[in-house]
Structure formats: C-alpha cells, structure tokens
Amino acid sequence: MPDSAGLTVGIAGASGYVGGELIRILAGHEQVGRIMAFSDNWQGQSVAAAHPKLVAIGASLEFIPFAPSQLAGCDVVFFATPAGIAARHAADLLARERIVIDCGADFRLRDAKQWQQVYGIEHPCPQLLASAAYGIPELFPAAVAKANLIGAAGCYATCIQLAAAPVVKMLAEQGSSEIRIVAAGLSGTSGAGRRTDRHDLLLAEAGNNACAYAINGHRHAPEIIQGIDNYADRVVQLAFVPHLLPLPRGLLATVHIIADGKFVPPETAATALAQAYADEPCISVLPAGSAPQLASVLHTDRAVLAASATGEVAAIVGALDNLGKGAAGQAVQCLNLRLGFNPISGLAA
C-alpha cells in the first residue's frame, strides 16, 4: 500500500465542510489514485454541487451512496461524520487491514463512560478506544505512525494543546506540582458542521455578533486534559470558554498557564514552544511578542503560535483553520505519517 495506481481513499460524510476539505487535499495528493466520496443525500450529483469551490475537481467526481461493501474497497477511509458512525464500521475495516481515520469524535477519548457522558450516546465499539492513536502528529508521532485506527483531534483541542502541552511538559519536568490552564477560544461558524437545525449559525444571526457558548463545559475539554496528560505526564486543571465569531472559518485561542499558584512567564513559554516545534513543517512559532492572526492561516493546514507578554505573564496565542489544521489537514497529515509519505504531501502548509 499504495500500489502503482495509488491509494483508493473513501470519505464518509463527503458533502460536509470537512468532507469537502478532504476532497480538496486528497485530489492534490501524489499518492492518491482514486477518491470515493460517500453521501446519501447528494448521491448521483457532482461533488461541485455541494462544494462549488471544487468545480475544477468535482465536475468529474460524483457522490455515491454510503455502503459498508463500498468502504471495504478502499485502502483508507476517512470519516467526517457525526458521533457514533465511524465506530459502527471501524472494527470491520480494521479486520480487513484498512486504515481508518476519524475526523469526528468517536476515538478521541479513551474512557467509554466519559465518552457517553460527553456525547450523549453509548459508544458503539468501546473495545477499540484503547488501541486508537490520538491524531495530533506533532505531539504523538510514534503512536500515529504505527496505528491503523486514528482519531483526529478536535479543532479547539488541537489549538489549545499545541499551545499548552510543551509548556506543561517543561513545567512538569522542572517539578511543578499543580498546573492550571485558562483558555479562551474563538471559532468561525463552520466549526459546528454543515447543518440546518442551528439558527444561531445563519448569517442573519451570526453576522455582526459574537457570543460565548458551552460555558458550562465544552466537549473538547476532557479531550484537552487527556491529551496533555498523555503528552506531559501531568493532569492539569482546565478553564475553557469558547466563543462564536461571525466568520465562516478560522480559530484563535489564547492560553494562560498557572504553575504552583504563579502565572508562567513569557520566556518559559517561548522557550518551550521553540524547542518543541523547531522541526515541524505544519507549525510556525513566531518571535516572542508576536500576535498570530487568522488571516495567516485561513485555507491552510498550518498552525501559528507565539508567546507574548502581558506584563510578566505569558499569553500563548494560537491560530489555525478549523477545517484545515483543525480537521481535514491534520487527518491527512496523520495519513502521511502513517504511510511514510512526504509530511506535507497534499497540504497547504
């Protein structure tokens, strides 16, 4: 895998925002020979009908109905689907030695009871949770490189962990016993997916507006705590409030870290980020004092980070495209790592 004709890649949920980004990236991937775009609602129509920006690609590519027998004909299957769907098909695909990369939430958490509390349904395949690699390539490259089941991280979870995890690890190694993270996230409306049941996501409602949401607990919070513990071997306390911006896409997060009752200084944060990501092709660490902007990451598969100073307190700011590095781009980055391809093949990094 792949053979001379290239990989056959299936995308379940191909008509959604993340599905469209996967098509865009994989159509330009030198190791992909065929894309199978699955969508029951759009079956028989060209991909360009659902994704007008893909007119150059989609005119010759049609959506096909979602069927397990069709999935089995793929070398790799990406799931860009609601919670519970990938988990119902993963075991069969793994038994056939296929690679499964879930852009949804089914394999992000390790504890089935916690997953049920967060997502409101019983996990369809809890026996696979422990074997799934958590898909942030920069933090967990060894696990991703050998896994046939990868649960790509959530968009907020990706940005906040990239900003905080190296700093927490440094602090833990220096002997800090209690570490707290305070994070504010801001995201465009596409973070909720392509849906018609959310009036607050309509342009008439979201335009000229901004609001906090999920104040009592966002579903990415347990994922962030678990990921940082796995990376830094330290359980942290997390206060996280997300906000909705009147933008189609993009995500910005500001992170403050408190170690043993004191705010972490900017020099410590800047050093930790620079050391952790010096050789990472999909992450740019700006000079200390810089302020990452959404404009620098939109329509890319790159994250931009910087540690700035608010007095003597570090403000770590991260920016990424929630559909790119926060979803589809990161998933393809995991594929590249898993199969030993060029790390940025297909990516706008």
Side-chain angles (χ1 to χ4, degrees):
M1 186 191 302
D3 59 26
S4 58
L7 291 169
T8 295
V9 178
I11 304 171
S15 61
Y17 294 137
V18 175
E21 288 297 299
L22 285 168
I23 294 171
R24 175 189 62 79
I25 295 169
L26 293 168
H29 196 296
E30 58 191 13
Q31 300 290 348
V32 174
R34 182 188 180 196
I35 297 172
M36 300 178 71
F38 296 103
S39 173
D40 287 338
N41 292 335
W42 292 80
Q43 61 177 290
Q45 299 186 59
S46 75
V47 162
H51 304 294
K53 65 181 180 181
L54 300 180
V55 62
I57 302 168
S60 59
L61 181 63
E62 290 187 352
F63 290 109
I64 58 177
F66 180 79
S69 59
Q70 293 273 43
L71 295 180
C74 302
D75 299 309
V76 180
V77 179
F78 290 89
F79 284 89
T81 48
I85 294 178
R88 289 199 288 270
H89 299 278
D92 178 67
L93 290 167
L94 294 173
R96 298 172 185 268
E97 299 185 346
R98 305 303 192 256
I99 294 174
V100 176
I101 302 177
D102 182 24
C103 297
D106 287 9
F107 298 103
R108 293 173 181 169
L109 297 175
R110 296 291 171 264
D111 185 277
K113 290 184 178 179
Q114 184 183 47
W115 192 92
Q116 181 174 349
Q117 291 173 350
V118 172
Y119 292 99
I121 58 174
E122 186 175 350
H123 197 283
C125 198
Q127 67 271 22
L128 290 179
L129 291 176
S131 63
Y134 185 55
I136 300 182
E138 294 82 6
L139 301 184
F140 306 103
V144 172
K146 64 182 181 182
N148 282 350
L149 176 60
I150 300 169
C155 54
Y156 280 125
T158 295
C159 196
I160 292 171
Q161 286 180 83
L162 289 176
V167 184
V168 172
K169 186 173 183 178
M170 177 177 285
L171 294 169
E173 291 172 346
Q174 292 174 349
S176 296
S177 58
E178 183 183 72
I179 301 175
R180 303 178 181 179
I181 297 173
V182 180
L186 305 95
S187 180
T189 58
S190 60
R194 191 174 204 171
R195 51 196 299 180
T196 59
D197 61 334
R198 290 278 303 274
H199 291 171
D200 59 316
L201 302 179
L202 298 175
L203 177 62
E205 303 292 338
N208 297 316
N209 191 23
C211 64
Y213 67 99
I215 296 175
N216 295 325
H218 190 275
R219 59 182 54 184
H220 288 182
E223 182 185 341
I224 294 167
I225 294 170
Q226 173 190 269
I228 290 178
D229 183 27
N230 289 340
Y231 178 79
D233 193 24
R234 184 57 51 91
V235 176
V236 298
Q237 298 179 48
L238 173 68
F240 166 48
V241 178
H243 301 74
L244 185 67
L245 292 178
L247 301 171
R249 59 197 294 164
L251 188 153
L252 193 76
T254 300
V255 175
H256 297 87
I257 300 176
I258 304 166
D260 297 331
K262 296 181 180 179
F263 281 104
V264 171
E267 297 81 7
T268 299
T271 299
L273 295 178
Q275 291 178 352
Y277 302 128
D279 299 318
E280 294 295 345
C282 293
I283 297 183
S284 294
V285 179
L286 303 183
S290 302
Q293 303 180 40
L294 289 184
S296 65
V297 295
L298 292 180
H299 302 282
T300 78
D301 304 298
R302 168 176 297 276
V304 176
L305 303 167
S308 300
T310 303
E312 298 181 355
V313 176
I316 308 168
V317 181
L320 52 77
D321 190 315
N322 59 296
L323 300 178
K325 177 58 175 167
Q330 180 149 267
V332 175
Q333 192 184 353
C334 287
L335 173 67
N336 291 340
L337 178 58
R338 170 63 183 84
L339 293 179
F341 298 154
N342 180 334
I344 59 172
S345 186
L347 302 178

